[in-house]
Amino acid sequence: MAFWEELFRNEILISSVIAWTIAQVLKTIIDWWLNRRFLAERLVGSGGMPSSHSSIVCGLMVSTALVYGIGTFEFAICFVLSAVVMYDAIGVRRETGKQSKLLNLILEQNLFELNEDQFHEKLKEFVGHTPLQVFMGAVLGIATSFIVHRFY
């Protein structure tokens, strides 16, 4: 029982997980509203608005700052991790999504002779984020950390 009590007293973990959960739920609702269809995959999938990656790392970073202070190595680690994750979401992962979209289009046009063994399913196109999606995820993570900190 001590394990669970200690786990739920971890403000930093709770802030991060709540920020991620809110982002995933919002992402699912926004996707449903825009496309008029419910995709359960959006509850755990990457890509879309807001960025859950940004939410979780910004929640981690800000809650670490609130608990330990900005002059600590804990905050420094979280800051660097956040910068790398958000940069990657806008850069490499976004480009991967664009390439997947193009490859799916090429395969749909049957420009190449492929049998079913060579290509089973479409490539995942929701991988990265636009700068706005990353920014909104960051705002969500930051706000969540301040709200959770107020109650701890």
Side-chain angles (χ1 to χ4, degrees):
M1 190 57 98
F3 169 80
W4 293 108
E5 288 174 13
E6 192 172 340
L7 186 70
F8 286 109
R9 279 185 298 192
N10 187 332
E11 176 183 338
I12 296 168
L13 178 63
I14 297 299
S15 294
S16 302
V17 171
I18 289 174
W20 178 84
T21 303
I22 293 170
Q24 289 300 125
V25 169
L26 284 173
K27 185 183 303 189
T28 305
I29 292 169
I30 291 169
D31 184 68
W32 170 80
W33 185 68
L34 291 174
N35 299 310
R36 299 291 183 228
R37 61 185 159 79
F38 174 76
L39 291 177
E41 188 274 337
R42 301 306 304 144
L43 286 169
V44 293
S46 59
M49 170 70 94
S51 167
S52 56
H53 289 85
S54 295
S55 294
I56 198 167
V57 294
C58 284
L60 176 70
M61 178 182 66
V62 171
S63 58
T64 299
L66 293 171
V67 171
Y68 294 111
I70 61 171
T72 62
F73 78 90
E74 291 94 345
F75 175 75
I77 291 169
C78 293
F79 180 85
V80 171
L81 174 69
S82 297
V84 168
V85 167
M86 291 188 293
Y87 179 81
D88 181 64
I90 294 171
V92 176
R93 289 190 317 109
R94 185 172 180 207
E95 290 302 315
T96 301
K98 288 179 182 179
Q99 292 170 6
S100 295
K101 188 177 275 191
L102 179 61
L103 287 170
N104 285 334
L105 182 63
I106 289 170
L107 292 168
E108 286 172 7
Q109 302 288 324
N110 287 323
L111 298 176
F112 301 103
E113 296 295 323
L114 296 175
N115 62 38
E116 288 184 28
D117 294 334
Q118 292 169 311
F119 190 72
H120 293 284
E121 59 188 51
K122 287 180 71 171
L123 298 170
K124 186 173 178 180
E125 296 176 7
F126 285 114
V127 181
H129 295 283
T130 65
L132 178 62
Q133 292 168 341
V134 168
F135 175 75
M136 294 308 292
V139 169
L140 176 61
I142 292 166
T144 302
S145 293
F146 279 107
I147 292 167
V148 169
H149 183 70
R150 183 170 211 166
F151 291 101
Y152 263 78

